[in-house]
Amino acid sequence: MIKKCAFCLLLLTTHACTGSNIQSYSDVEVLSVSVSILPQAYFVERVGGEHVAVNVMVGPGDEPHSYEPTPSQMRALTQSKVYFIIGVEFEKTWMPRFLAVSPDLHVVDTAAGIERMPMAAAYDGEAAGELDPHIWLSPALVKVQAQNIYDALVDADPAHTVDYHAGLESFLSDIDQLDASIRSTFSIIKINKFMTFHPAWGYFARDYGLAMIPIEIGGQEPSAEELARMIDLARQYDIRFIFTQKEFSSKSAEAIAEEIGAQVVLVDPLARDWLSNMQTLANAFARALGQ
Ligand code: ZN
């Protein structure tokens, strides 16, 4: 099952083979791992540095709630020794199949120790019943995930413990700085309520004293009647910006925005370059809520 590339094997002792997904994991020079979403790839790379090669299942523009892997991704998965799950929906469906093709895959829950809250309620305060998977949008919770990733990397590859520890420390310190920077960015915020199509910002809102009003109801576009209620609510709260992301239709967000004269703001909660993206996101929220 394990494909070996002669060129990669040749170079394996001197450097990691880029430009190819194929690596020899029996030699464990570079630890091959898989993750579900792009921000996790950033987390693993920050802790693992040059000692890890990360395969991402949900690529740019894909939607982690309903994603289905391609055959080539399934093949890439067989190279991995570790799979870092985070709790996005597609894992529930696909993990048994991943384990069927890769029975030795070591599954690590990066959400271990994190108490997840119920999926953000619709406008009337009814919880949808599911637990909110968007834990990568909270710097505080990413610190927990980084620690879990560190523990797993040390477990899988104890020879590089010192480097993993240095990677962890540097990442944790960057997260602390990010958190301080977001707090200072948000000091200008005047309105704390915001509307968003997809309820990705529950933990982010909780961390920074904001209140999220999601448009999507139980993963669906709202009905005409629900949309009308949402428009009333948006008026009542004087909503001037509605956040959307490219993975979801912005039809209902645009309908509400047009009705109340608000602006639709496209944000990306799934960018790979997590640290700088979080500051970009904070700036977008501050611009919208600070006027
Ligand atoms: Zn989501």
Side-chain angles (χ1 to χ4, degrees), residues 62-65 134 136-137 196-201 243-250 265-270:
D62 294 329
E63 203 274 282
H65 299 272
H134 303 95
W136 67 93
L137 293 166
T196 173
F197 178 74
H198 182 64
W201 310 98
F243 297 94
T244 60
Q245 62 186 89
K246 64 176 184 286
E247 291 81 11
F248 298 95
S249 150
S250 56
V265 183
L266 187 69
V267 284
D268 184 4
L270 285 161

Side-chain angles (χ1 to χ4, degrees), residues 35-281:
V35 298
S36 293
I37 57 170
L38 291 158
Q40 284 183 289
Y42 180 86
F43 305 160
V44 174
E45 280 161 1
R46 283 300 305 263
V47 180
E50 60 182 5
H51 305 302
V52 296
V54 185
N55 168 52
V56 187
M57 299 310 280
V58 184
D62 294 329
E63 203 274 282
H65 299 272
S66 58
Y67 182 69
E68 302 205 346
T70 64
S72 73
Q73 284 182 309
M74 292 300 280
R75 282 194 296 279
L77 187 76
T78 63
Q79 309 280 320
S80 290
K81 286 194 82 175
V82 180
Y83 192 109
F84 291 102
I85 58 170
I86 189 168
V88 288
E89 279 92 331
F90 97 99
E91 289 166 358
K92 281 188 217 113
T93 320
W94 284 89
M95 223 50 229
R97 296 185 223 185
F98 292 168
L99 288 167
V101 294
S102 273
D104 296 331
L105 193 62
H106 182 54
V107 180
V108 173
D109 183 6
T110 57
I114 293 174
E115 200 183 323
R116 292 193 295 149
M117 56 188 196
M119 194 70 179
Y123 51 87
D124 56 1
E126 263 173 47
E130 297 256 348
L131 289 177
D132 189 340
H134 303 95
I135 55 172
W136 67 93
L137 293 166
S138 157
L141 298 184
V142 170
K143 287 174 77 171
V144 179
Q145 295 166 67
Q147 183 69 52
N148 289 336
I149 289 165
Y150 165 79
D151 291 344
L153 292 180
V154 168
D155 244 19
D157 177 27
H160 295 116
T161 298
V162 171
D163 290 352
Y164 293 145
H165 194 257
L168 174 69
E169 289 296 310
S170 138
F171 187 30
L172 292 179
S173 136
D174 281 354
I175 297 172
D176 284 338
Q177 271 182 45
L178 168 73
D179 180 62
S181 169
I182 294 175
R183 285 176 199 285
S184 114
T185 305
F186 281 0
S187 61
I188 61 155
I189 282 182
K190 298 198 181 98
I191 313 162
N192 82 328
K193 289 187 182 64
F194 66 95
M195 215 167 222
T196 173
F197 178 74
H198 182 64
W201 310 98
Y203 300 101
F204 184 77
R206 185 182 68 180
D207 284 5
Y208 298 110
L210 306 177
M212 171 175 73
I213 306 163
I215 296 172
E216 191 185 47
I217 296 171
Q220 309 285 323
E221 290 264 355
S223 67
E225 195 185 319
E226 289 163 336
L227 200 62
R229 285 185 65 181
M230 218 92 68
I231 288 165
D232 285 346
L233 201 69
R235 273 213 187 91
Q236 190 188 319
Y237 290 138
D238 194 21
I239 297 287
R240 282 175 241 162
F241 294 85
I242 301 174
F243 297 94
T244 60
Q245 62 186 89
K246 64 176 184 286
E247 291 81 11
F248 298 95
S249 150
S250 56
K251 226 176 60 204
S252 45
E254 272 153 19
I256 297 170
E258 198 177 326
E259 198 62 39
I260 64 166
Q263 209 177 311
V264 173
V265 183
L266 187 69
V267 284
D268 184 4
L270 285 161
R272 184 174 186 131
D273 189 3
W274 178 84
L275 194 72
S276 69
N277 186 52
M278 287 301 290
Q279 185 62 54
T280 303
L281 292 169

